[in-house]
Amino acid sequence: MMKKLSIILLAMLLGGTTAQAQSIYLLKNYGTGHLDEVTSKNKPNGFFYRLRRDTQRTDLPRTEGIENLELFISEPTDMGWMALYRLPLAADDYDFKVVLYDHNDQPTVTLDLCQLTGNNYCEVQDVRWDSDNHYLLFNMACPSYSSMIDGKGSKLYCYDVEGQRMVWETDYLVSNDIFILSKKYVFCSYGFTNERKYLFMLDKFTGKVYSKLPMVKSVQYMELQQRDGRDVLFVVDYDDKLYSFAVSNRSASKKKPSTTTKKPIKKR
């Protein structure tokens, strides 16, 4: 049965575009042995690890409440620096805080991600700063099988730091592991062991799903490149197989959403 399912999923993946006019479609299946086509810039700690770790600075000042947390990400932003702090991996509980710093390394905002989402049973596996809109995007991913929490995990959230509001959040089972941003889109994925695996393309301003493509293996790395004058999304799965996808721009939103917080996308 599993072999038959894998064949069906692979056929769907290799099918490219469909009648639904998806916004990403397969260009090439490189197979294994082609990882030199991508860098490690979006996951410098290694493709295999589900949690992205990138500490470009370790001397940023600690604010109250994060003294005992471990620094996982520190990277520059247009405003200064962003840092993600969390309890150590071996801890029995979760605590995720993002601190934004100005250009003088002074903390300006501290965000408790568990408090913002009302979720203290999932794990932040990636967080990104959107300099164009001053949005903070992060996922709350299932730490293990989604069935252990009734499938209520692996959402992607977009928070407006200046407006102090949640702009949008996706349905469950949309984002674990890495995700990346472009000017208009968010590229993310969901998959774990024997669960179904998908690659998603979302509208960055609304969270709307433009594409949902089945994958045979879970995604462990993504990178956006310019090839022949167009955006190409490179994806590495957990078998170290490389795929490239063409990115269509015809359906992305051109404006920011209104100040009304978007409701989660309904399951289908």
Side-chain angles (χ1 to χ4, degrees):
M1 177 63 71
M2 288 304 301
K3 183 177 180 181
K4 182 178 180 181
L5 178 60
S6 296
I7 293 174
I8 292 172
L9 292 177
L10 181 60
M12 292 175 67
L13 177 63
L14 297 178
T17 56
T18 71
Q20 296 177 352
Q22 294 172 334
S23 297
I24 50 175
Y25 58 89
L26 185 71
L27 284 176
K28 184 175 181 179
N29 179 351
Y30 289 78
T32 57
H34 294 276
L35 296 187
D36 56 343
E37 294 282 342
V38 295
T39 70
S40 60
K41 66 178 183 178
N42 292 325
K43 211 177 191 183
N45 59 314
F47 293 178
F48 178 78
Y49 297 98
R50 285 192 296 154
L51 282 71
R52 181 172 74 95
R53 192 161 195 171
D54 185 7
T55 52
Q56 299 181 33
R57 285 186 61 178
T58 59
D59 60 337
L60 292 167
R62 298 289 184 115
T63 62
E64 183 179 356
I66 64 170
E67 298 91 346
N68 299 320
L69 300 184
E70 186 177 350
L71 177 65
F72 249 66
I73 294 174
S74 56
E75 57 191 19
T77 71
D78 61 310
M79 301 174 68
W81 286 82
M82 177 193 73
L84 172 69
Y85 299 90
R86 61 162 292 161
L87 287 171
L89 293 175
D92 294 329
D93 201 1
Y94 287 134
D95 189 1
F96 305 98
K97 291 185 172 66
V98 166
V99 180
L100 301 177
Y101 299 85
D102 63 20
H103 291 291
N104 296 317
D105 296 344
Q106 294 302 304
T108 58
V109 177
T110 299
L111 300 171
D112 184 328
L113 303 188
C114 292
Q115 188 177 72
L116 282 177
T117 59
N119 185 330
N120 60 0
Y121 57 87
C122 284
E123 182 173 57
V124 175
Q125 295 182 345
D126 202 357
V127 58
R128 303 277 176 175
W129 176 252
D130 175 23
S131 295
D132 294 332
N133 307 288
H134 292 174
Y135 290 166
L136 182 76
L137 289 90
F138 60 96
N139 57 17
M140 280 285 187
C142 303
S144 183
Y145 291 101
S146 63
S147 59
M148 298 178 66
I149 54 175
D150 297 324
K152 296 180 179 179
S154 297
K155 276 190 177 186
L156 186 65
Y157 297 85
C158 176
Y159 184 76
D160 180 354
V161 173
E162 293 180 341
Q164 299 182 33
R165 65 187 181 93
M166 196 68 74
V167 181
W168 52 260
E169 59 189 80
T170 67
D171 198 359
Y172 296 119
L173 308 184
V174 171
S175 176
N176 63 349
D177 210 307
I178 186 175
F179 67 88
I180 61 173
L181 312 178
S182 70
K183 288 288 185 182
K184 300 178 180 179
Y185 304 120
V186 184
F187 302 95
C188 58
S189 68
Y190 178 77
F192 188 77
T193 315
N194 292 328
E195 299 181 7
R196 292 183 178 180
K197 304 153 185 71
Y198 294 100
L199 174 67
F200 292 90
M201 177 178 173
L202 313 179
D203 187 300
K204 191 170 70 173
F205 305 110
T206 66
K208 176 182 177 180
V209 176
Y210 285 138
S211 292
K212 179 182 178 182
L213 302 182
M215 298 290 293
V216 176
K217 293 290 184 177
S218 299
V219 172
Q220 64 173 337
Y221 184 75
M222 287 184 276
E223 183 173 306
L224 201 60
Q225 296 184 14
Q226 277 280 313
R227 294 286 180 100
D228 299 324
R230 63 177 175 177
D231 287 336
V232 176
L233 178 69
F234 285 86
V235 172
V236 180
D237 72 11
Y238 266 81
D239 279 343
D240 287 336
K241 291 182 179 179
L242 179 68
Y243 303 86
S244 63
F245 295 85
V247 180
S248 168
N249 295 311
R250 62 180 177 272
S251 15
S253 298
K254 296 181 180 180
K255 297 180 181 179
K256 284 189 181 183
S258 67
T259 55
T260 303
T261 302
K262 299 295 181 181
K263 295 181 180 180
I265 300 169
K266 293 182 180 179
K267 283 188 175 181
R268 288 184 284 182

